[in-house]
Amino acid sequence: MVGRYYEDISFHPHAVFTADSLLFLGSSLGVMQVPIGQETAAQWINFYETAIQLRTIGYSLAVFGAVALLLALGYMRYKQSTQRHTLQRINDLQTRLMELKTTVSLIKNADEESIRRIEKTLNGLQPGKGNRAETNQQLQQISSEIMKKNRNAALLLLKEMDRQMEEIQVLAFYESKLYINNSQKALDTGTTEVIKTQVEQNAQWLTKCQQLSTLLYMYQQNLHQTLSLEGVTAGLAEAIVQTKEHFITHPIADTERDVEEITQCYQYIFSTEAMEKINHYMADARQWLSEPQRNDKVANALNHELRNIADTAEQTERLQLLRTLKHFEHRINQLRTLEKINESITDYVAIHSRIVHENEQRTIKKFDMQLQREIADHTEECTKEIDNLIDQLFADMEQSDPEILTGLLKFTGAISQQGKVLGILMAHPKVKRTLLPGLLGIYGNLNPVVSRLVSGKIKNGRPWLENYVNKHPSSLAIFILRLAE
């Protein structure tokens, strides 16, 4: 058939096959389809170019993949760029917020709560998460709030500057004028940053002044009514007062160094070395009280009190121990002062007796006022010493036993003649009453004064004194009570 019908076509033997009563003949021209037994009805099989081929599919997939990759990379770059932009906006807002916080921190009674709320919202934002449009809206809202608060802060900053200048003026410290002048210059510039810088400098200076003043006040209060002991607390109270005065005469830097030295001295009070000096003081005091010439009830009572103090000294809070010893010091000083008054009375009596004796030996004797003046001239040193010692005596009694002075004896203000007479009689109960005016450096008769003191106050107050002696055996109440016998 092939040779008969299609001599000019070369069919490939290996490209010939049958299927479904059809003969398929393959050649370089294409594939011919011939129904079996109907050779004249042969037809060429058409292959359409639009048909999808595997190679085309492969190419298409490759192109699609490349495009998809480019789109993904572009989207990722866009997203990263958006995140960087959002992060930059957040960082800028955080910087602005930090500057606002710095400004607000300089202003008293500022609305710091709203600042914290803005900060919390800003810190809660995370670039790349959540709705971008919503994030941008939040950032815009935060930016507007910071801008508004910056305007308000600028106005408050001016008010704060005025408040600081008033406070600096009231302090009247050495550098007050300098800071007031600098503040006025800053205000004159009208520049917020310059004003802010000066407000910050003022705040630092005022804070330092307040800290140092508070520290000195605390030390002064804690040391109030404590024992002044050499090497421990002696001179510290005076140094605090002097340093307070330095606020007015020295720059704050110099005063700060003074306060540092005072702080070291104050902290030393609580050291082991200081405790050793306190124990030494108590040992010396007990030795003095135990000497034979002081074998009386008051000295024994003081010795007993001091023994109890010493037994618990290590466990007692140090400042409280020093306050207890201060009270003890007032009491033991009264005994020491009475001894000194007694010694001065003895000296006076000796000089008085000598001058009287010398006058008796004279041919032309002195009488009355002339003799008294001569005695007064020779005993002036003694009488001044007695007067000063009586002042010391009652100064200590006022601290340890004010009830006796203001309650029983009704002594108020300056020491009266009755007080001076009482001081002499407690030191030397058997002194001649005629010597009292000379001992006090006055002229006249003091018997009425003695009578009002002893009969009018001491004897009438005997029950009260007896009760006081029982409660306070180390006080001088027993010396006063003896005058009623």
Side-chain angles (χ1 to χ4, degrees):
M1 180 193 72
V2 173
R4 184 183 302 169
Y5 295 104
Y6 306 103
E7 294 179 356
D8 56 341
I9 301 174
S10 177
F11 293 98
H12 298 287
H14 296 293
V16 178
F17 63 92
T18 60
D20 296 330
S21 300
L22 296 172
L23 174 65
F24 296 92
L25 301 172
S27 70
S28 58
L29 297 177
V31 179
M32 179 179 289
Q33 173 184 300
V34 182
I36 298 176
Q38 301 179 23
E39 290 78 1
T40 58
Q43 294 180 346
W44 289 99
I45 296 175
N46 294 322
F47 291 93
Y48 297 99
E49 293 181 0
T50 57
I52 300 175
Q53 300 180 7
L54 290 176
R55 181 179 295 176
T56 302
I57 293 173
Y59 287 153
S60 299
L61 289 175
V63 171
F64 177 78
V67 172
L69 180 60
L70 289 173
L71 290 174
L73 290 174
Y75 176 75
M76 288 177 63
R77 291 185 63 184
Y78 170 75
K79 188 175 182 180
Q80 289 176 353
S81 176
T82 303
Q83 288 179 359
R84 284 196 299 270
H85 179 67
T86 303
L87 184 60
Q88 183 177 357
R89 290 183 66 188
I90 291 175
N91 290 337
D92 290 343
L93 288 174
Q94 286 177 335
T95 301
R96 289 170 57 193
L97 186 61
M98 185 62 65
E99 293 174 354
L100 177 60
K101 286 175 63 178
T102 302
T103 303
V104 169
S105 66
L106 301 173
I107 303 171
K108 290 187 179 296
N109 303 321
D111 184 13
E112 297 183 2
E113 181 59 35
S114 61
I115 304 296
R116 285 192 289 268
R117 177 180 55 78
I118 294 174
E119 185 176 25
K120 183 178 180 181
T121 302
L122 188 59
N123 292 337
L125 295 178
Q126 297 181 358
K129 294 185 179 181
N131 188 291
R132 186 165 61 88
E134 184 178 334
T135 300
N136 289 335
Q137 184 179 1
Q138 285 181 302
L139 291 174
Q140 184 60 40
Q141 182 179 357
I142 291 173
S143 178
S144 298
E145 288 188 39
I146 292 176
M147 187 181 301
K148 180 189 290 186
K149 291 193 176 297
N150 269 325
R151 287 196 297 267
N152 294 337
L155 295 175
L156 293 174
L157 206 59
L158 294 175
K159 293 182 179 179
E160 178 63 16
M161 177 75 85
D162 291 338
R163 188 200 65 78
Q164 287 181 340
M165 292 175 70
E166 290 180 4
E167 186 175 351
I168 293 171
Q169 186 71 42
V170 171
L171 280 178
F173 284 179
Y174 179 77
E175 296 169 302
S176 291
K177 186 176 180 179
L178 172 65
Y179 277 86
I180 288 175
N181 290 339
N182 290 343
S183 299
Q184 188 59 54
K185 290 178 181 178
L187 288 174
D188 292 341
T189 65
T191 305
T192 301
E193 284 302 318
V194 175
I195 294 173
K196 177 181 173 182
T197 300
Q198 188 58 46
V199 167
E200 189 172 3
Q201 291 177 2
N202 291 347
Q204 292 173 354
W205 185 78
L206 286 169
T207 299
K208 179 61 67 177
C209 292
Q210 182 64 35
Q211 288 174 344
L212 296 179
S213 298
T214 301
L215 201 58
L216 289 178
Y217 177 78
M218 182 193 73
Y219 293 157
Q220 197 169 37
Q221 291 298 110
N222 290 347
L223 291 171
H224 181 63
Q225 292 295 338
T226 57
L227 176 67
S228 177
L229 183 60
E230 191 64 36
V232 181
T233 55
L236 192 51
E238 293 78 5
I240 292 173
V241 173
Q242 185 178 13
T243 302
K244 282 185 172 183
E245 295 173 352
H246 284 180
F247 281 121
I248 303 173
T249 59
H250 292 72
I252 198 68
D254 293 347
T255 308
E256 186 174 10
R257 287 190 289 271
D258 294 337
V259 174
E260 288 175 358
E261 293 179 3
I262 289 174
T263 298
Q264 292 177 358
C265 295
Y266 179 82
Q267 292 173 346
Y268 178 79
I269 295 173
F270 306 93
S271 66
T272 303
E273 293 83 357
M275 189 66 235
E276 291 176 356
K277 293 178 180 179
I278 294 172
N279 285 331
H280 186 70
Y281 163 82
M282 291 189 290
D284 287 347
R286 289 190 62 187
Q287 182 178 356
W288 186 85
L289 290 168
S290 300
E291 292 177 358
Q293 65 268 32
R294 297 182 191 89
N295 186 23
D296 58 59
K297 291 183 179 181
V298 175
N300 292 336
L302 276 174
N303 209 341
H304 178 73
E305 286 183 11
L306 188 56
R307 187 184 306 115
N308 292 336
I309 295 171
D311 289 343
T312 59
E314 297 287 348
Q315 294 76 38
T316 305
E317 195 274 328
R318 191 63 52 83
L319 292 174
Q320 182 56 47
L321 173 61
L322 291 171
R323 291 189 190 99
T324 302
L325 288 175
K326 179 64 174 180
H327 187 269
F328 166 83
E329 178 82 354
H330 286 307
R331 290 268 174 86
I332 196 173
N333 278 347
Q334 292 165 38
L335 286 184
R336 292 184 175 124
T337 303
L338 286 178
E339 288 191 4
K340 291 178 182 178
I341 293 173
N342 188 47
E343 291 173 1
S344 294
I345 291 173
T346 302
D347 292 341
Y348 177 90
V349 170
I351 296 172
H352 182 278
S353 299
R354 177 175 58 80
I355 293 174
V356 170
H357 177 72
E358 291 175 354
N359 187 58
E360 292 294 331
Q361 303 300 317
R362 292 171 182 157
T363 305
I364 302 175
K365 298 180 176 58
K366 295 181 180 180
F367 298 97
D368 300 331
M369 292 300 296
Q370 284 186 324
L371 181 60
Q372 290 182 23
R373 287 195 190 96
E374 184 179 356
I375 295 173
D377 290 340
H378 286 78
T379 59
E380 183 178 4
E381 185 176 344
C382 286
T383 55
K384 284 184 178 180
E385 179 69 12
I386 290 172
D387 190 64
N388 291 333
L389 290 170
I390 291 174
D391 288 343
Q392 293 177 22
L393 175 67
F394 285 110
D396 281 312
M397 286 188 68
E398 189 176 0
Q399 295 298 321
S400 64
D401 306 280
E403 302 91 338
I404 296 177
L405 299 183
T406 60
L408 174 69
L409 301 176
K410 301 293 189 297
F411 291 167
T412 57
I415 300 174
S416 62
Q417 285 186 348
Q418 282 191 5
K420 295 183 181 296
V421 167
L422 178 62
I424 291 175
L425 294 179
M426 283 193 294
H428 199 314
K430 296 181 179 180
V431 67
K432 292 181 178 180
R433 300 301 188 257
T434 56
L435 294 178
L436 288 176
L439 287 167
L440 297 178
I442 61 177
Y443 300 105
N445 182 7
L446 290 180
N447 286 334
V449 175
V450 175
S451 178
R452 286 194 298 271
L453 172 66
V454 176
S455 301
K457 292 181 177 180
I458 297 176
K459 288 185 177 180
N460 289 339
R462 184 165 189 162
W464 187 93
L465 277 171
E466 290 174 345
N467 182 58
Y468 196 88
V469 169
N470 291 332
K471 291 182 178 179
H472 308 282
S474 63
S475 72
L476 294 187
I478 193 170
F479 284 75
I480 300 174
L481 188 60
R482 289 172 183 169
L483 299 178
E485 296 175 355

